[in-house]
Amino acid sequence: MSSVRTPSFWSETLHTAHDAKNLEGEAQRGSSTLSSSSSLSPEMRLPPPRHMHESYSQLDLPFASDPSFLDQYTNAQGGIRTGKLMEHLDALAGSISYKHCLGPVHEMERGMGKRGFYIVTASVDRLDMLHLMAPENITDLRLSGQVIYVGQSAMEVAVRMERLDRDGKEGETMMLGRFSMVCRDAVTHKAHPVSPLIITTEDEKALYAMGEAHKARKQARQQGSLARAPPSPDESKALHDLFLRNNEGKTMHGVERVWMQDTKRESLLMMHPQDRNIHSKIFGGHLMRLAYEIGYANASLFTRQPLRFLALDGISFRLPVDVGSVLRLTSTICHTKSDEHHQAVVNVWVQANVIDPSTGEEHTTNDFYFTWCRDDGEPLKRMVVPRTYKEAMIWLEGSRALAIGEEIRGLRRANEATGAY
């Protein structure tokens, strides 16, 4: 797996930053001397088709076979720090995307202008933890993935995390996920075409159809988003029932009511060059880890119990985060419940805002949605309650995320019960 992080010294990056700004200025003036996609040869503008398997990449993590390696990833309970795994998954998705566009045998060029394009993570559509990874059953793990669907300038990358036995053979699938990657022109930053896929086998046809279905569902969810459409009749009723129940006092049937606004937790962090990617912006996987860790801390404080990761329900990447900027992370408990499979389920929203320290200007760059759970003990004795209409919409978005996650896990349980995959 080739690296998508820090391919050059930061001092070298600072030296070349001035030249990059000059190139962007020329692009805005319509200079014809730039190597943007508009001036590339037809072969470069229309990348060659690739087979799906050509983008396959994997990374093995020797947690069981190398104690010193494990020690770098161990959390306070003796398990694996999931946020650090997310860093690896994001880097893997980036490497897979470059491999699809550049070919299976390539070296990562230092300058984007030499390639004529760059690739960024547009969103992480889901990551679902399928099985518990407890401290007592830690094994070596394999992260792998490949491109399964492409559009004009976008790619869907499917990733997987599996156990490895002592012989290095793949075993139980622990996590499945999907990354949406987009390709941009190195000078104009507009959409850049990606290689189309060559589909040959029945398995590849099934994966491609899955990618098409994911795209259609994603578009449907965006159209039905509460930012665009009102709640459904069932959701409106659920909100009204919540309102009626919580007029009875701070505690009802032994369950404490907690206002959503009182669950907010914030942190401010400087963004350092050691955490940059090949585009000299902060690495998306680093942002994922930071968001995961503040979200987990908030969920643990709310439930007052250790939790395990259940799902990443979605991440959107709106703007890049510059080195030297200040990152504000705000975590909010969106929705809580107990169900037949878990004693506590907590959905958390983490918003990332970037602040320019020289001007104080602040912009939202990312929205992260996570779900954690607790399998044993007593049912959750606290519930989050919205107080404003905006918080009610956040509460409903959390409810929708939990419903989608439970549907996916239900299908997985049904497949396992019948022996299907």
Side-chain angles (χ1 to χ4, degrees), residues 109-406:
E109 299 280 2
R110 286 193 176 191
M112 290 186 298
K114 295 181 181 180
R115 293 190 304 271
F117 67 88
Y118 63 95
I119 297 170
V120 296
T121 306
S123 64
V124 184
D125 298 322
R126 283 205 70 83
L127 283 175
D128 287 282
M129 185 67 81
L130 307 178
H131 297 285
L132 174 64
M133 187 165 56
E136 62 270 15
N137 64 359
I138 287 177
T139 64
D140 291 351
L141 296 177
R142 172 168 293 162
L143 310 181
S144 63
Q146 64 187 42
V147 173
I148 66 167
Y149 180 81
V150 299
Q152 291 295 318
S153 60
M155 296 162 280
E156 178 168 323
V157 177
V159 297
R160 172 183 296 190
M161 183 174 78
E162 298 165 296
R163 291 188 186 277
L164 295 178
D165 63 21
R166 293 182 178 180
D167 298 325
K169 294 180 180 179
E170 295 173 352
E172 189 176 48
T173 298
M174 302 296 293
M175 185 190 294
L176 292 172
R178 306 190 307 272
F179 286 72
S180 292
M181 316 296 291
V182 292
C183 189
R184 293 288 181 259
D185 185 277
V187 176
T188 66
H189 307 297
K190 296 180 180 179
H192 186 286
V194 299
S195 295
L197 276 171
I198 301 172
I199 309 298
T200 54
T201 69
E202 291 302 317
D203 286 343
E204 289 175 345
K205 290 178 182 178
L207 287 172
Y208 193 83
M210 188 186 303
E212 284 186 315
H214 290 161
K215 180 181 178 180
R217 283 197 296 270
K218 187 175 180 180
Q219 290 173 341
R221 283 198 299 270
Q222 289 173 344
Q223 291 299 319
S225 166
L226 291 168
R228 298 186 178 186
S232 69
D234 288 343
E235 289 174 331
S236 296
K237 184 179 183 303
L239 274 177
H240 188 66
D241 290 345
L242 182 69
F243 165 75
L244 293 177
R245 291 199 310 270
N246 286 283
N247 271 341
E248 300 176 9
K250 183 173 175 61
T251 302
M252 182 180 62
H253 305 303
V255 177
E256 178 189 1
R257 180 188 67 191
V258 182
W259 294 119
M260 185 180 290
Q261 66 187 29
D262 295 333
T263 70
K264 287 190 176 182
R265 299 289 186 270
E266 282 194 357
S267 67
L268 285 175
L269 299 160
M270 285 296 300
M271 295 293 97
H272 300 291
Q274 290 76 17
D275 299 308
R276 73 191 186 278
N277 59 20
I278 60 173
H279 319 306
S280 296
K281 304 295 183 181
I282 295 301
F283 173 52
H286 179 65
L287 299 175
M288 290 172 67
R289 179 174 67 80
L290 294 176
Y292 177 93
E293 290 178 352
I294 188 175
Y296 177 82
N298 195 2
S300 297
L301 288 172
F302 185 87
T303 61
R304 298 166 180 166
Q305 293 284 343
L307 300 166
R308 72 175 180 90
F309 175 64
L310 199 55
L312 188 160
D313 302 289
I315 300 176
S316 60
F317 290 84
R318 303 186 196 177
L319 296 171
V321 176
D322 290 329
V323 172
S325 63
V326 175
L327 188 73
R328 183 201 303 273
L329 292 172
T330 305
S331 170
T332 305
I333 306 295
C334 299
H335 203 100
T336 55
K337 69 172 188 176
S338 297
D339 59 32
E340 60 178 313
H341 300 289
H342 308 99
Q343 299 291 37
V345 184
V346 184
N347 183 259
V348 181
W349 167 43
V350 179
Q351 185 174 73
N353 283 16
V354 65
I355 306 171
D356 186 331
S358 62
T359 65
E361 291 185 0
E362 183 168 348
H363 302 282
T364 298
T365 62
N366 307 86
D367 289 290
F368 306 81
Y369 296 89
F370 301 98
T371 300
W372 286 275
C373 71
R374 177 167 50 81
D375 299 315
D376 52 12
E378 294 186 354
L380 186 60
K381 297 297 184 182
R382 308 182 85 203
M383 64 180 297
V384 67
V385 179
R387 202 168 198 168
T388 66
Y389 187 82
K390 180 179 179 180
E391 289 180 349
M393 297 304 99
I394 295 171
W395 185 85
L396 286 178
E397 288 287 10
S399 177
R400 289 181 178 186
L402 294 184
I404 292 172
E406 181 52 36

Side-chain angles (χ1 to χ4, degrees), residues 68-90:
S68 62
F69 184 83
L70 171 64
D71 192 60
Q72 300 174 45
Y73 291 78
T74 304
N75 62 27
Q77 289 76 40
I80 303 298
R81 290 175 60 186
T82 307
K84 296 196 73 170
L85 294 178
M86 289 182 179
E87 284 188 304
H88 284 307
L89 287 170
D90 187 65

